[in-house]
């Protein structure tokens, strides 16, 4: 969601803030602004729209200061206008705040403050924080005023504040959305996400809920909300800053599609032994006996990660022989869920900060379930709150539409399923070893699948002007049909639906005509002939078919004609087909979006990490 950056040190402040904001553009935003603190007060520059508009504003009205904060806003309360853009100020213009999250009781607080004589300039919930801190300033420092103000707030929020009356100080508060403090040499940073500061420091500290960081030129002091000192561990980020650049690709999304072989390889690395026929997941920190006696696994996720969970259900039930339920994180805690001591709750989240998934994990833990996270970001909230973690090691993913994070999640879920099988004895040692051998081969299969990019580009040129698509899959590949449809919707703004192919006759077939292409996922598996039947039914109603099938299998070609397209994919074991089948769907969505002139990396209305409900 919103991006926050703050800096105090000796470097030129404005270029550093703008660079940090630029590196968080992938989070999604509709306005931007900066606040610079100087001896005479605080100067603001804000602009609606893309960051280039803010840069032009600063070019026309230069601004400078000794330190400052910046923000990219994703609108929740109020339109994306200059007036509603962050940073926001109090009545005096001496206190400034930037904010990520939602303050649930802001209207009540606004009415209360208005009755006390405060004047509001915006439609946002954020502005009330500046006025609350103004009211609570009693000459004892910005952090004390902020602590008093926090006692009135309800909701999930990250806040960063500066004051012209308490100079050389940045105050950061974590309560839900991510806050990372960067530790440099005689310089310090605060941000919503690691890429914003990674070119300046690799040493970071993550704030947990109800924690505060007071940042000055001499260092950082951490405390809880009532002021008790905290000792926070510094973590070393191993990402290469260059990994967050495009490396010659037109878009981050395309770069990240091409990075999937290495991301899969990194996720597997050090966790399997073909010689021993074993899986090693040493970061789970749950006794083996707990896994052996599990009666249920609940996978909790949102969006693309939820699709990964649906594949995970097939994997865990087939290999680990334990019942699996897949739940939307956004729905779980609102339906009176039942969790128990012999249940494992697995939160699947690229960022580790997805608000709905975190809330669902907390509810499951409260009811006694064990918990782990499948996550890409070291030290994120999900990894700190669960019993253990399977890190995907995909590296930074900048494109809003998830690609390498998704396939890495599928690899991690495969590892988890095999690990459960290993502990529970549901596979023989010989069968387990054969599954490990297949998994070790998946990076090469992805490399082969990515080679279809140029062919897919031609297909995209043909189908780019269609306004509706139907994606069909069966069994373990049905979730990939959902994911393919989601990718097309996200970045090309074309309406698309994913469906179990066997359900087509139960409604969607009424929509099929010559104007609706049908994308059929048809690997050469045990339901291949069923998929052939579904394809024939679609063709009988005039549909053009894009069939993604196993290379060398000619059966699909026998039922297709010149109106149709075949995208052959490398053969794989049946449980690995979801990973292979995903690649051409990502490429299809990408190339269609590019041909339609869409903003691939930053689709409208979307944010990379949904850190508020």
């Amino acid at each position: 969601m919103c991006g926050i950056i703050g800096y105090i040190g000796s470097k030129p402040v404005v270029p550093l803030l703008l660079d940090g904001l630029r590196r968080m553009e992938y989070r999604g935003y509709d306005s931007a602004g900066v606040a610079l603190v100087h001896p005479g007060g605080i100067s603001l520059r804000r602009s609606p729209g893309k960051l280039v508009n803010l840069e032009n504003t600063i070019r026309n009205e230069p601004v400078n200061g000794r330190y400052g904060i910046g923000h990219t806003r994703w609108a929740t309360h109020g339109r994306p206008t200059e007036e509603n853009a962050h940073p926001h100020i109090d009545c005096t213009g001496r206190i400034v705040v930037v904010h990520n999250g939602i303050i649930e009781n802001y209207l009540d607080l606004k009415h209360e403050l208005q009755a006390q004589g405060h004047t509001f300039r915006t439609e946002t919930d954020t502005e009330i924080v500046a006025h609350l801190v103004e009211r609570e300033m009693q000459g004892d420092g910005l952090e004390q005023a902020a602590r008093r103000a926090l006692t009135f707030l309800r909701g999930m929020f990250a806040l960063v504040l500066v004051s012209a009356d308490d100079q050389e100080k940045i105050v950061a508060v974590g309560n839900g959305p991510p806050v990372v403090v960067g530790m440099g040499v005689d310089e310090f940073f605060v941000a919503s996400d690691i890429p914003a500061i990674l070119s300046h420091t690799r040493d970071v500290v993550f704030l947990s809920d109800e924690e505060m960081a007071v940042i000055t030129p001499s260092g950082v002091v951490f405390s809880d909300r009532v002021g008790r000192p905290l000792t926070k561990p510094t973590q070393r980020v191993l990402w290469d800053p260059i990994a967050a650049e495009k490396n010659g690709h037109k878009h981050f999304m395309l770069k990240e599609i091409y990075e999937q072989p290495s991301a899969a390889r990194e996720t597997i690395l050090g966790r399997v032994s073909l010689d021993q026929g074993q899986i090693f997941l040493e970061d789970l920190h749950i006794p083996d006996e707990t896994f052996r006696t599990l009666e249920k696994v609940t996978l909790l996720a949102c969006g693309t990660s939820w699709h990964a969970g649906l594949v995970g259900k097939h994997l865990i039930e087939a290999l680990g022989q334990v019942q699996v339920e897949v739940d939307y994180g956004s729905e779980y805690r609102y339906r009176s869920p039942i969790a128990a001591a012999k249940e494992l709750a697995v939160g699947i989240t690229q960022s580790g900060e997805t608000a709905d998934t975190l809330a669902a994990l907390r509810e499951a833990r409260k009811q006694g379930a064990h918990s782990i996270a499948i996550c890409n970001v070291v030290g994120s909230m999900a990894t700190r709150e669960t019993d253990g973690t399977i890190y995907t090691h995909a590296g930074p993913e900048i494109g809003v539409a998830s690609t390498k994070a998704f396939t890495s999640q599928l690899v991690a879920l495969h590892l988890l399923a095999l690990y459960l099988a290993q502990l529970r004895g549901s596979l023989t040692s010989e069968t387990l070893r054969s599954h490990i051998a297949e998994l070790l081969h998946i990076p090469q299969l992805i490399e082969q699948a990515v080679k279809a990019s140029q062919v897919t580009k031609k297909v995209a040129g043909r189908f780019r002007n269609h306004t509706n698509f139907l994606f069909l899959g069966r069994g373990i590949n049905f979730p990939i049909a959902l994911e393919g449809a989601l990718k097309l919707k996200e970045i090309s703004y074309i309406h698309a639906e994913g469906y179990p192919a066997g359900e087509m006759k139960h409604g969607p077939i009424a929509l099929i005509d010559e104007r609706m292409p049908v994308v059929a996922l048809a690997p050469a598996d045990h339901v291949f002939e069923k998929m052939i039947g579904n394809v024939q039914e679609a063709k009988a109603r005039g549909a053009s078919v894009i069939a993604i099938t196993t290379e060398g299998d000619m059966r699909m070609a026998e039922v297709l004609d010149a109106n149709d397209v075949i995208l052959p994919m490398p053969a794989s074991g049946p449980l690995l087909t979801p990973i292979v089948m995903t690649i051409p769907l990502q490429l299809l969505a990408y190339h269609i979006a590019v041909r339609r002139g869409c903003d691939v990396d930053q689709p409208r209305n979307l944010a990379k990490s949904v850190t508020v409900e």
Side-chain angles (χ1 to χ4, degrees):
M1 304 293 272
C2 304
I4 293 172
I5 179 72
Y7 173 72
I8 193 164
S10 58
K11 292 175 181 172
V13 182
V14 174
L16 191 147
L17 295 180
L18 291 174
D19 180 67
L21 294 178
R22 190 174 299 107
R23 293 174 188 275
M24 291 188 289
E25 284 188 299
Y26 67 91
R27 295 172 68 89
Y29 71 105
D30 42 47
S31 61
V34 295
L36 281 297
V37 187
H38 47 79
I42 300 177
S43 295
L44 270 65
R45 296 293 184 269
R46 303 179 297 188
S47 181
K50 293 298 185 181
L51 195 56
V52 64
N53 297 338
L54 176 63
E55 292 171 331
N56 289 335
T57 297
I58 293 173
R59 191 176 297 113
N60 294 330
E61 299 178 69
V63 64
N64 217 324
R66 295 208 300 260
Y67 63 103
I69 55 178
H71 189 272
T72 49
R73 176 181 184 245
W74 191 83
T76 55
H77 298 72
R79 298 159 296 156
T81 62
E82 180 179 351
E83 181 181 66
N84 289 328
H86 294 218
H88 290 298
I89 59 174
D90 68 328
C91 293
T92 69
R94 309 282 289 177
I95 297 168
V96 173
V97 61
V98 293
H99 165 223
N100 181 12
I102 292 176
I103 296 167
E104 295 172 356
N105 61 332
Y106 88 101
L107 274 178
D108 291 339
L109 291 171
K110 186 173 184 176
H111 295 153
E112 176 185 321
L113 288 162
Q114 285 174 326
Q116 295 169 358
H118 290 261
T119 300
F120 287 79
R121 304 174 177 86
T122 79
E123 304 169 279
T124 70
D125 57 336
T126 305
E127 190 184 0
I128 67 109
V129 178
H131 291 278
L132 277 175
V133 174
E134 175 194 357
R135 187 183 72 180
E136 299 300 321
M137 285 289 275
Q138 298 172 10
D140 53 356
L142 179 61
E143 63 268 39
Q144 288 84 358
R147 285 195 186 96
R148 288 189 288 268
L150 289 171
T151 62
F152 298 98
L153 301 180
R154 290 201 313 270
M156 303 291 282
F157 45 80
L159 302 170
V160 177
L161 303 105
V162 293
S163 169
D165 297 320
D166 194 356
Q167 296 238 339
E168 303 292 338
K169 182 183 293 180
I170 299 174
V171 173
V173 177
N175 190 47
V179 180
V180 56
V181 177
M183 313 294 282
V185 178
D186 298 326
E187 61 178 0
F188 302 93
F189 310 80
V190 62
S192 295
D193 211 346
I194 291 170
I197 59 176
L198 191 55
S199 60
H200 302 284
T201 181
R202 292 174 177 270
D203 298 319
V204 300
V205 177
F206 294 91
L207 290 190
S208 296
D209 284 355
E210 301 191 352
E211 292 184 351
M212 176 180 286
V214 179
I215 305 166
T216 66
S218 59
V220 184
V221 176
F222 299 98
S223 62
D224 63 16
R225 251 168 105 165
V226 297
R228 290 182 293 243
L230 296 173
T231 300
K232 300 282 291 179
T234 299
Q235 300 188 41
R236 185 79 171 168
V237 178
L238 300 179
W239 293 350
D240 182 348
I242 297 175
E245 303 298 335
K246 293 179 185 175
N247 285 352
H249 292 283
K250 186 175 182 180
H251 297 96
F252 281 112
M253 182 180 177
L254 185 61
K255 169 181 174 280
E256 288 154 6
I257 289 173
Y258 275 87
E259 287 176 340
Q260 287 175 110
S262 62
R265 195 173 286 113
E266 288 295 322
T267 301
I268 297 169
L269 189 66
R271 289 171 166 164
V272 303
S273 169
L274 188 57
D275 292 341
Q276 299 176 46
Q278 281 190 291
I279 304 292
F280 305 97
L281 297 178
E282 297 176 350
D283 292 329
L284 292 187
H285 308 304
I286 295 175
D288 291 353
E289 187 59 29
T290 299
F291 287 115
R292 292 190 185 101
T293 57
L294 282 178
E295 295 177 355
K296 181 181 177 184
V297 174
T298 299
L299 304 177
L300 301 165
C302 298
T304 284
S305 295
W306 185 75
H307 298 157
L310 294 176
V311 176
K313 174 182 173 68
H314 285 269
L315 294 170
I316 294 170
E317 289 185 344
L319 300 173
Q321 294 290 292
V322 59
Q323 178 190 358
V324 179
E325 184 173 341
V326 186
D327 236 307
Y328 281 111
S330 56
E331 293 290 331
Y332 181 78
R333 63 191 171 120
Y334 297 114
R335 65 167 180 81
S336 302
I338 299 172
K342 291 191 175 182
E343 178 175 339
L344 177 68
V346 182
I348 309 172
T349 162
Q350 188 280 140
S351 67
E353 307 288 352
T354 308
D356 292 316
T357 303
L358 289 171
L361 279 168
R362 289 164 185 153
E363 179 63 28
R365 285 171 60 85
K366 187 171 74 173
Q367 295 193 34
H370 301 278
S371 65
I372 65 171
I374 293 177
C375 183
N376 191 38
V377 179
V378 175
S380 59
M381 187 72 74
T383 69
R384 301 198 300 271
E385 292 194 359
T386 49
D387 299 319
T389 301
I390 302 175
Y391 284 110
T392 52
H393 299 308
E397 186 177 70
I398 305 302
V400 167
S402 182
T403 52
K404 65 176 180 174
F406 175 66
T407 49
S408 296
Q409 287 170 350
L410 297 184
V411 172
L413 284 161
H414 210 115
L415 288 167
L416 176 61
L418 291 173
Y419 186 69
L420 290 172
Q422 175 179 293
L423 293 179
R424 296 165 67 85
S426 54
L427 297 177
T428 66
S429 57
E430 183 179 343
T431 304
L432 180 62
R433 185 176 280 106
S434 69
H435 280 287
I436 291 172
E438 288 184 347
L439 185 60
L440 284 168
H441 193 52
I442 197 63
Q444 290 93 330
L445 295 180
I446 298 174
E447 285 174 353
Q448 293 177 46
V450 169
K451 291 177 182 177
S453 181
Q454 290 305 311
V455 176
T456 311
K457 187 175 182 179
K458 294 179 182 177
V459 176
R462 175 180 163 188
F463 289 96
R464 62 176 176 169
N465 292 323
H466 288 268
T467 56
N468 295 282
F469 278 70
L470 182 63
F471 289 69
L472 298 177
R474 280 183 177 264
I476 197 169
N477 290 301
F478 156 57
I480 305 307
L482 293 175
E483 175 62 12
L486 178 62
K487 282 293 157 285
L488 193 62
K489 284 184 277 195
E490 282 181 317
I491 64 171
S492 72
Y493 318 140
I494 292 173
H495 174 255
E497 294 297 331
Y499 241 83
E503 290 292 302
M504 183 178 68
K505 293 190 291 291
H506 296 273
I509 199 168
L511 299 172
I512 295 178
D513 59 19
E514 66 280 357
R515 294 169 297 177
M516 176 180 276
V518 173
V519 181
L521 300 175
D525 58 14
H526 67 291
V527 291
F528 180 82
E529 292 180 354
K530 298 287 187 183
M531 282 299 303
I532 288 279
N534 297 132
V535 166
Q536 289 175 318
E537 289 162 350
K539 284 188 60 58
R541 285 149 183 87
S544 295
V545 174
I546 302 171
I548 302 173
T549 190
T550 303
E551 189 174 20
D553 192 310
M554 303 307 296
R555 289 175 291 173
M556 182 62 76
E558 292 173 3
V559 302
L560 300 183
D561 57 38
N563 292 321
D564 308 313
V565 175
I566 291 181
L567 293 175
M569 288 294 111
S572 68
L575 296 182
L576 292 171
T577 54
I579 299 175
V580 177
M581 295 283 115
T582 294
I583 309 305
L585 299 186
Q586 294 172 346
L587 289 167
L588 182 66
Y590 171 79
H591 287 302
I592 287 178
V594 170
R595 295 295 290 268
R596 289 168 64 89
C598 300
D599 190 341
V600 172
D601 286 333
Q602 298 171 46
R604 67 188 183 203
N605 302 332
L606 293 179
K608 181 64 179 175
S609 302
V610 182
T611 55
V612 298
E613 281 197 84

